[in-house]
Amino acid sequence: MILCLYFEVARPWFVFDPPLLAALLNVVFLSLVSFYIAYISARTYLSSGKSMLLCMGCGALAVGLASLAAGGPTESQCTLDLSISIHNTGFFLGGLFHLAGAGSTLLERGAEPGPDQRKRRLLFAYMGVVVLILFSILLNMDRSLPLFFNPLAGPTPIRQLVLGWAVVLFALSSLFFLGASYRLKAAFLYWYGLGLVLIASGLLALFLVFVIGSPLAWTGRIGLYLGGIYLLVAVSKAVISARSRNVPLDRVIAGLLHKPKALFE
């Protein structure tokens, strides 16, 4: 990122931005992975009732939907700005939900909700994420002036504010997961935390981008794609643990979030 930042500012190197390549990579490494994590989180929440899992699922769903919706054609200035605004808004919501999930583990008290209440909460939360993404699309469709990115002037202050907060939210969430993995010695939490670190790093690179398709822009994208791969590795670690112990996957993941005394009981 540091090397590419030099070429971004001091010596513009090259611009490589095929219209369908970024869209395809977003679908494979971000949308599909995020949808799978949202599905696993939903299953685990229904069996355990942990609010953190619900927030994780909402965050993954927001990233997946935004990455999918932002993958359209970007030949014109309007479509480019729309794509960037949807993408950045989705990652902001994803970081916000992940941090809310981390905070819920510290504030969660009392009995866990029953099965019927969990289903209602899950349906309401996931539908709410879909509505938020659709609202962000509609809000940015009919604008004559770019709201997030102007190809001639670079990113706007609104875009930098949204993307900057997304970097902070994912970075703080990664600290929680890595801290929890250090205490609990859990491979799932460790790899998930590293995935969030890579996503935060990729968003930071995109925060500094002034030219679409520049080496720095691709560095940011690769950081996001690697983050998706690391999140998938985290789930695979949980799958391996579940098979070795002959217990359901959702039980393994939910068990990581219980306090040792509650888990023993």
Side-chain angles (χ1 to χ4, degrees), residues 158-180:
I158 294 178
R159 186 257 193 178
Q160 296 301 81
L161 180 65
V162 172
L163 195 58
W165 272 109
V167 173
V168 172
L169 292 170
F170 272 103
L172 292 177
S173 302
S174 68
L175 292 177
F176 168 81
F177 277 89
L178 292 175

Side-chain angles (χ1 to χ4, degrees), residues 37-38 40-58 101 104 122 126 188 250 253-254 257:
I37 292 174
I40 295 296
S41 299
R43 274 184 47 189
T44 311
Y45 172 73
L46 290 176
S47 64
S48 67
K50 288 294 182 182
S51 299
M52 177 181 173
L53 295 166
L54 179 61
C55 293
M56 282 175 54
C58 290
S104 69
L122 178 65
Y126 275 31
F188 170 81
D250 50 0
I253 296 177
L257 306 178

